[in-house]
């Protein structure tokens, strides 16, 4: 499967790309997971935030959002990591995170990385070098765990 990976500053996103990523996030995080929450939170188009998109023949299969550190020394925050339902089981999550980590190394070299993982994905992120830095907590009624990579 030949995925085209895009690493876009938010100003580089086309309206169609932004619409597709918001649609995918809505479909999975809100509808599939039965979790009403405010996904459009003002961060998608802020600062030097970036979006990693995995496309196949014009269809968005995977995406993630990378948030600029608020101040020097703060962690880069990785979030909204998602693989579409039809692409699950293809190890696309690892490929997506590889793209995310490469983007972070390019744009914020040496900065610590942080993510709030759904708790059942702790093992996945651990295999990528993240370690738990919080106890499990509820976020939107879903167990999460804070994880960091130095």
């Amino acid at each position: 499967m030949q995925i085209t990976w895009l690493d876009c500053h938010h100003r580089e996103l086309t309206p169609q790309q932004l619409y597709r990523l918001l649609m995918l996030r809505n479909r999975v995080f809100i509808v599939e997971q039965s979790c009403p929450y405010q996904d459009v939170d003002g961060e998608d188009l802020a600062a030097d935030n970036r979006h990693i998109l995995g496309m196949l023949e014009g269809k968005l299969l995977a995406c993630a959002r990378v948030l600029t550190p608020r101040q020097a020394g703060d962690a880069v925050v990785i979030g909204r990591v998602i693989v579409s339902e039809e692409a699950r089981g293809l190890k696309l999550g690892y490929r997506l995170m590889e793209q995310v980590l490469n983007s972070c190394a390019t744009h914020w070299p040496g900065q610590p990385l942080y993510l709030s993982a759904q708790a059942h994905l702790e093992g996945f992120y651990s295999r990528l070098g993240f370690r738990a830095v919080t106890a499990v907590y509820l976020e939107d009624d879903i167990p999460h765990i804070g994880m960091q990579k130095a």
Side-chain angles (χ1 to χ4, degrees):
M1 176 179 296
Q2 186 60 38
I3 303 293
T4 300
W5 293 101
L6 303 173
D7 177 356
C8 301
H9 185 282
H10 66 81
R11 285 188 301 266
E12 299 168 332
L13 289 171
T14 67
Q16 293 81 9
Q17 289 167 331
L18 180 60
Y19 181 82
R20 285 182 189 127
L21 78 88
L22 292 173
M23 192 168 78
L24 177 59
R25 289 181 356 199
N26 181 281
R27 187 171 65 234
V28 174
F29 292 140
I30 297 170
V31 176
E32 181 182 315
Q33 295 182 354
S34 298
C35 181
Y37 79 106
Q38 186 63 47
D39 177 50
V40 179
D41 60 2
E43 296 290 340
D44 289 304
L45 305 178
D48 282 321
N49 297 345
R50 305 190 70 78
H51 297 272
I52 310 303
L53 309 175
M55 309 286 297
L56 178 65
E57 298 172 2
K59 184 168 177 96
L60 180 64
L61 296 181
C63 63
R65 180 173 79 175
V66 185
L67 303 180
T68 306
R70 298 220 183 266
Q71 57 188 5
D74 283 356
V76 174
V77 177
I78 300 165
R80 305 297 204 270
V81 178
I82 190 167
V83 173
S84 67
E85 185 176 24
E86 62 269 26
R88 292 185 198 143
L90 301 175
K91 303 287 186 199
L92 207 50
Y94 286 103
R95 292 171 62 192
L96 171 60
M97 283 303 296
E98 179 180 77
Q99 297 295 319
V100 168
L101 295 175
N102 287 340
S103 180
C104 291
T106 298
H107 300 287
W108 300 284
Q111 292 288 110
L113 309 177
Y114 178 86
L115 54 82
S116 177
Q118 290 188 8
H120 73 276
L121 294 172
E122 181 179 359
F124 168 78
Y125 289 111
S126 292
R127 288 187 289 281
L128 293 165
F130 287 84
R131 63 176 179 78
V133 294
T134 72
V136 173
Y137 57 91
L138 285 180
E139 183 175 311
D140 300 313
D141 289 328
I142 296 174
H144 281 72
I145 189 163
M147 302 187 78
Q148 188 160 333
K149 181 179 173 79

